[in-house]
Amino acid sequence: MNEIFLMKLGEIVLKGANKRQFENKLRQNVRRRMRPFGNFDVYIMQSTVYVVPEDDMADVDGAWEACHCIFGVVSLCRCRPCEKNLDAIFNAIEEYLGEDLDCAKSFKVESKRSDKQFPMTSIAISQEIGGRLAEAHPNVEVDVHNPEYTVYVEVRDLAAYVHGPAEPGAGGLPTGVGGRAMCLLSGGIDSPVAAYMIAKRGVEIECVHFFSYPYTSQLAKDKVLELARIVTKYSGRMTVNIVSFTQIQEAIRDNCPEEYFTLIMRRFMMEIAQKLAKNDGCGALITGENLGQVASQTMEAMTVTGAVVDIPIFMPLVGMDKEEIVTISRKIGAFETSILPYEDCCTVFTPKHPKTKPTIGQLLHAEAKLDRQAMIEKAVETVERIQVRYHDEPRI
């Protein structure tokens, strides 16, 4: 039998009566992620996802990389199935893991027997197979406490499976079990990380980006679309809503006190994002706000900018420091794109001395000259919707 993948479920196993719903969604997600790599059979048994190539044309290495980015999986391994008897298990280990064993200084065998009809206990399997391997590899020591390499044997319902150490999965919950949310996606470091973190909780992500041509360039727009593409490696395909924001920013510049420019701009963004979210069935907004990071992210500032919406605002980065955010950005592959020098609309008409402790009354007075609803409706009517998938050509 050929090499297959075993993917172990994470917190799905704790879902009780709802477990089947989570498993079904995960299986659908895995099947969809495998399609670009050929024909794979995907099924779930005993809290494990089995991913089985159905022919020699399947891109196993590409599929293996993609499996690391599927939410709902806590660990995964490439393994060799074999018949459920000791000779077959030993031979599979020799063929599949023999070279790895020869490169190690010490080893042990760890067995699990979920098929209770198998006549030997887990400990007995490990002892028998470990003894045979010790004879076959006399230069590799047996060390059951701190081995350099561990051989795993799993005796399951359909077959026995042998593999080396598992690798970490993406964790979290399967995409789609937690509803939908709209992320305000800028060209910076924070918002792609925020989108990733909420997607990890099983939420389908859509994005909205505010584009202020000619103050921001086509390269800035392409940068944001590339960040969205990078996030889809984890979240799955998404729609990016591009909002033309130039006229709104110019109206704010011409009619509002300078110290409130950023706050009023943020209030427009939040209200536009909410309208788009409700139109697309999203139940929350996601922002990359981080308490105290900039003037518009004080407690008072976030209060007044959030006051214009009536759906939840998820701020997964609110209590993190910058190094923690950068670490995640690097992990998901977004950092190098995020730091490209193409500025977004948040840098347009930035006040020299922004208000850091505003009140609702002050903001209402500061924006009194603006016809907010007419401006918002016009922005929503002219939105450009762009579908983004990870296997699209990179934008930058």
Side-chain angles (χ1 to χ4, degrees):
M1 299 175 70
N2 294 325
E3 182 180 57
I4 74 168
F5 309 154
L6 295 182
M7 304 166 63
K8 305 297 177 69
L9 305 188
E11 54 187 291
I12 294 176
V13 300
L14 305 176
K15 295 303 178 183
N18 295 321
K19 180 181 175 183
R20 182 61 59 85
Q21 173 188 346
F22 285 79
E23 289 183 343
N24 288 341
K25 179 58 71 172
L26 177 58
R27 184 174 63 252
Q28 293 171 11
N29 294 344
V30 175
R31 284 175 174 167
R32 185 171 62 248
R33 297 291 187 91
M34 293 300 100
R35 283 175 192 157
F37 306 104
N39 298 318
F40 290 82
D41 186 20
V42 178
Y43 56 93
I44 297 180
M45 294 179 63
Q46 298 174 316
S47 299
T48 301
V49 183
Y50 294 72
V51 182
V52 183
E54 294 192 306
D55 53 56
D56 293 336
M57 301 300 292
D59 179 2
V60 175
D61 290 336
W64 173 246
E65 181 182 353
C67 284
H68 285 77
C69 304
I70 299 175
F71 291 130
V73 176
V74 69
S75 66
L76 62 162
C77 62
R78 299 169 80 143
C79 70
R80 173 70 61 84
C82 63
E83 294 181 10
K84 293 190 285 186
N85 65 70
L86 293 178
D87 289 340
I89 292 170
F90 172 73
N91 291 333
I93 293 171
E94 282 292 279
E95 293 174 8
Y96 189 59
L97 304 175
E99 291 184 6
D100 292 336
L101 268 172
D102 285 332
C103 293
K105 294 180 180 179
S106 61
F107 83 98
K108 77 170 182 178
V109 177
E110 187 170 309
S111 303
K112 293 182 180 179
R113 183 192 58 148
S114 56
D115 177 7
K116 301 308 179 185
Q117 301 300 313
F118 192 76
M120 299 176 68
T121 66
S122 297
I123 294 175
I125 296 169
S126 295
Q127 291 173 338
E128 177 65 26
I129 296 297
R132 294 192 189 191
L133 291 174
E135 292 180 5
H137 301 270
N139 295 323
V140 186
E141 295 182 359
V142 176
D143 184 345
V144 298
H145 299 294
N146 296 295
E148 185 175 305
Y149 188 79
T150 301
V151 173
Y152 293 89
V153 177
E154 301 189 37
V155 181
R156 294 173 163 266
D157 284 353
L158 300 181
Y161 303 86
V162 301
H163 59 87
E167 297 181 12
L173 295 172
T175 302
V177 299
R180 295 165 60 85
M182 181 74 70
C183 180
L184 282 75
L185 186 65
S186 71
I189 296 171
D190 298 340
S191 55
V193 174
Y196 161 82
M197 293 183 68
I198 296 301
K200 189 174 182 179
R201 302 312 303 159
V203 176
E204 291 185 35
I205 304 295
E206 288 204 19
C207 290
V208 55
H209 175 67
F210 296 89
F211 183 55
S212 294
Y213 184 83
Y215 301 106
T216 56
S217 67
Q218 179 63 39
L219 284 172
K221 179 180 175 181
D222 289 341
K223 173 185 173 181
V224 168
L225 292 172
E226 176 62 10
L227 287 171
R229 189 190 71 83
I230 291 168
V231 172
T232 62
K233 183 176 183 180
Y234 295 88
S235 69
R237 59 184 181 243
M238 70 168 66
T239 299
V240 180
N241 298 272
I242 306 294
V243 176
S244 178
F245 207 52
T246 306
Q247 292 184 358
I248 290 176
Q249 286 193 286
E250 289 177 339
I252 294 171
R253 176 199 62 190
D254 296 340
N255 293 282
C256 304
E258 181 184 355
E259 62 184 337
Y260 295 103
F261 280 0
T262 302
L263 294 170
I264 295 172
M265 177 189 72
R266 291 285 298 172
R267 282 164 62 85
F268 272 96
M269 287 180 172
M270 298 295 280
E271 194 160 356
I272 291 169
Q274 176 176 254
K275 282 188 174 292
L276 295 172
K278 289 183 175 182
N279 288 343
D280 289 350
C282 298
L285 301 180
I286 306 166
T287 73
E289 289 170 291
N290 178 255
L291 187 61
Q293 181 171 241
V294 294
S296 63
Q297 293 176 14
T298 63
M299 193 176 299
E300 293 84 356
M302 287 191 286
T303 298
V304 299
T305 56
V308 294
V309 302
D310 56 20
I311 61 176
I313 304 171
F314 295 154
M315 303 178 186
L317 315 185
V318 70
M320 301 174 69
D321 63 41
K322 199 65 178 183
E323 280 304 310
E324 292 173 309
I325 300 169
V326 167
T327 296
I328 299 173
S329 179
R330 291 185 187 277
K331 171 187 171 183
I332 65 175
F335 181 74
E336 295 301 327
T337 301
S338 291
I339 62 174
L340 291 174
Y342 311 131
E343 297 180 331
D344 59 32
C345 70
C346 294
T347 63
V348 179
F349 310 135
T350 303
K352 293 180 180 179
H353 303 289
K355 190 76 170 178
T356 58
K357 294 186 177 182
T359 65
I360 293 291
Q362 291 171 337
L363 262 296
L364 292 174
H365 184 265
E367 62 190 24
K369 294 182 180 179
L370 302 175
D371 187 350
R372 285 182 54 85
Q373 292 309 310
M375 296 164 69
I376 289 169
E377 290 298 332
K378 183 177 180 180
V380 170
E381 289 172 0
T382 57
V383 164
E384 178 187 7
R385 292 169 61 86
I386 300 176
Q387 300 293 324
V388 179
R389 295 173 177 82
Y390 183 67
H391 295 284
D392 294 344
E393 285 294 318
R395 298 275 180 161
I396 292 181

